[in-house]
Amino acid sequence: MPEKIASLNVQHKMGDGAGVLIESAELRIIELPLITPFVISTGTMTGKTIPLLVLKGEGLQGIAEGVMDPFPDYLEETIPGAMAFLREVLLPSIIGKRFGSPYELDAVLSPWRGNRMAKAMVEMAFWDLWAKSLNVPLKVLLGGTGDHVDVGVSLGIASIETTLERVDEAVAQGYKRTKLKIRQGHDVKLVEAVRKRHPDIKLTVDANTVYGLSDLPVMLALDDFALDYIEQPLAFDDIHDHAKVQAMLRTAICLDESIRSAVDARKALEAGAARVINIKVGRVGGFIEARAIHDVCAAFDAPVWCGGMLESGIGRAHNIHLATLKNFSKPGDISSASRYFQRDIVNEPLEAVNGEMAVPGNGAGIGVTLDYDYLDTVTQHWEST
Ligand code: OSB
Ligand code: MG
């Protein structure tokens, strides 16, 4: 174990029963087939590989999934890298310890640079465990309210004809926003066709970082379609040029990949690089950071919405609880699990009705439970500590 871990000693409230003792952990990699391949500007996904963490303590289980990919094509983190960091660093530093709250746990995680997706797995699983130990729904501890959240769909890259069919279907199902994935050569004509067929729907596009300043004519053309926002047109590590482009557009820019922290959000909003932020709890290191971003954005009057990463029911449930916070005022990417998977790994169906997703469960924590029969059949790797 690196020396730094041994020296990180969090304050324990030993003996008074407060908090939860983390006794052991289980780590899996699962592989869920996708009903339809999901194509974005940076690549195609035909199946969803998901690292899954279960923290166990005091007869309870806290569960979370990671949003990193097998290869670093969305952001830098990868599943193999996260598995090693979890196995060798993060899990040894928390197992056998009692944490009074996620803030105490965060004191162990936050000194490490980067690796926010891996840290988020631990943090989110602990929030679930902590909520269960207090016997309250996760949303209550997060400060959210309400029983439903507004949701939209994210449509992968396909022909104009296929996209129009998918948009028709999403609109018919009552989804409250349609997001089209775009890339060079698959942008203005596509948006024009969808807009022509549906003049009044809430429509957005997501370029997943693929444009540069040389694509300015495309971004200016997209400005004419009354889009609710243009998501992450430029590089994942760029704020400066997003500010340049935002100054030339009436349409809001929404940042996704560029925002890892509340400090990033503050700088982006101060610079005028965006007017909307996509918050993915798994991307930013967990709920503490997600809430901090939410609060910074509220202070700037910038709406936020909950992003998605084709999560299983575990991540989807976490996202729904987060989206109950007040400034999540735009529909999130939390559509029905059945759009992605023939069968989910949780027992509770997570299906949108009229563009709303119900907060799962009436009970404690994230409100969904693992379907172990199915989980075992899709598990590629299993280890425990
Ligand atoms: O940019 O929001 C994105 C999926 C994989 C990688 C990046 C993104 C997405 C999505 C999917 O848009 C949203 C969903 O889970 O439905
Ligand atoms: Mg995005």
Side-chain angles (χ1 to χ4, degrees):
M1 195 195 309
E3 226 170 69
K4 191 163 180 186
I5 297 175
S7 69
L8 289 170
N9 219 341
V10 263
Q11 291 294 314
H12 297 167
K13 293 181 188 168
M14 297 300 276
D16 62 3
V20 198
L21 174 68
I22 302 176
E23 290 158 18
S24 65
E26 207 180 285
L27 200 47
R28 296 178 187 237
I29 297 177
I30 67 168
E31 184 78 45
L32 290 181
L34 283 172
I35 293 172
T36 315
F38 194 75
V39 183
I40 67 175
S41 64
T42 53
T44 298
M45 248 181 274
T46 53
K48 177 71 181 154
T49 311
I50 303 174
L52 191 72
L53 174 67
V54 181
L55 295 179
K56 300 180 182 183
E58 304 178 8
L60 301 169
Q61 292 196 343
I63 313 167
E65 72 181 79
V67 299
M68 64 294 282
D69 293 311
F71 298 105
D73 47 14
Y74 167 76
L75 284 171
E76 304 95 323
E77 287 183 76
T78 62
I79 293 173
M83 291 295 283
F85 187 47
L86 286 161
R87 182 187 303 126
E88 291 163 31
V89 179
L90 295 181
L91 295 178
S93 70
I94 62 161
I95 287 168
K97 292 189 184 149
R98 176 179 296 277
F99 296 98
S101 73
Y103 295 90
E104 287 187 18
L105 178 91
D106 190 53
V108 177
L109 306 178
S110 62
W112 301 111
R113 302 289 168 90
N115 292 282
R116 288 175 181 269
M117 294 174 174
K119 291 193 283 191
M121 289 175 70
V122 177
E123 202 253 24
M124 292 163 72
F126 186 77
W127 274 92
D128 182 33
L129 183 62
W130 189 50
K132 285 168 178 162
S133 78
L134 297 169
N135 202 25
V136 290
L138 177 58
K139 71 171 185 197
V140 172
L141 294 179
L142 293 174
T145 52
D147 298 324
H148 296 83
V149 299
D150 285 351
V151 297
V153 291
S154 173
L155 301 180
I157 292 171
S159 69
I160 291 181
E161 198 180 30
T162 302
T163 302
L164 286 172
E165 283 168 17
R166 290 179 183 170
V167 175
D168 290 351
E169 189 185 14
V171 170
Q173 289 169 345
Y175 281 106
K176 301 206 167 160
R177 178 271 276 144
T178 302
K179 159 167 141 183
L180 308 174
K181 292 289 189 179
I182 57 170
R183 68 175 167 217
Q184 281 99 342
H186 181 83
D187 38 38
V188 181
K189 281 208 175 83
L190 174 85
V191 174
E192 192 176 23
V194 172
R195 217 4 141 204
K196 201 169 155 204
R197 176 107 133 222
H198 296 281
D200 299 321
I201 58 168
K202 188 176 277 204
L203 189 64
T204 73
V205 293
D206 187 356
N208 287 106
T209 76
V210 86
Y211 294 122
L213 289 182
S214 60
D215 296 300
L216 194 59
V218 170
M219 294 181 269
L220 292 174
L222 291 172
D223 206 20
D224 288 335
F225 297 106
L227 299 173
D228 198 41
Y229 48 79
I230 299 174
E231 188 173 342
Q232 195 70 41
L234 307 177
F236 75 95
D237 55 356
D238 179 72
I239 296 292
H240 185 87
D241 284 349
H242 276 111
K244 267 195 198 170
V245 173
Q246 178 67 93
M248 293 183 238
L249 299 176
R250 282 160 288 145
T251 311
I253 287 180
C254 168
L255 290 177
D256 172 352
E257 284 90 332
S258 291
I259 306 297
R260 327 281 189 100
S261 67
V263 170
D264 287 347
R266 195 257 301 160
K267 289 179 179 173
L269 294 170
E270 263 179 21
R275 296 191 207 126
V276 175
I277 304 286
N278 163 337
I279 300 182
K280 291 176 181 166
V281 53
R283 180 190 77 226
V284 304
F287 288 111
I288 293 174
E289 202 64 35
R291 267 199 325 201
I293 296 171
H294 166 275
D295 294 350
V296 164
C297 291
F300 279 84
D301 281 324
V304 304
W305 55 278
C306 183
M309 292 290 280
L310 316 183
E311 286 92 344
S312 80
I314 295 298
R316 211 166 287 271
H318 280 280
N319 290 343
I320 298 169
H321 282 268
L322 177 66
T324 62
L325 270 70
K326 195 162 178 282
N327 193 35
F328 280 84
S329 51
K330 290 184 179 294
D333 273 344
I334 323 176
S335 57
S336 297
S338 64
R339 294 184 61 247
Y340 303 97
F341 311 116
Q342 208 71 250
R343 185 170 169 184
D344 200 349
I345 56 166
V346 298
N347 293 305
E348 299 73 12
L350 294 178
E351 299 297 303
V353 178
N354 295 325
E356 294 186 344
M357 189 65 104
V359 180
N362 333 312
I366 55 175
V368 294
T369 54
L370 287 169
D371 171 356
Y372 276 98
D373 287 343
Y374 184 56
L375 180 65
D376 287 343
T377 69
V378 293
T379 298
Q380 308 290 316
H381 171 88
W382 181 95
E383 61 189 273
S384 75
T385 52

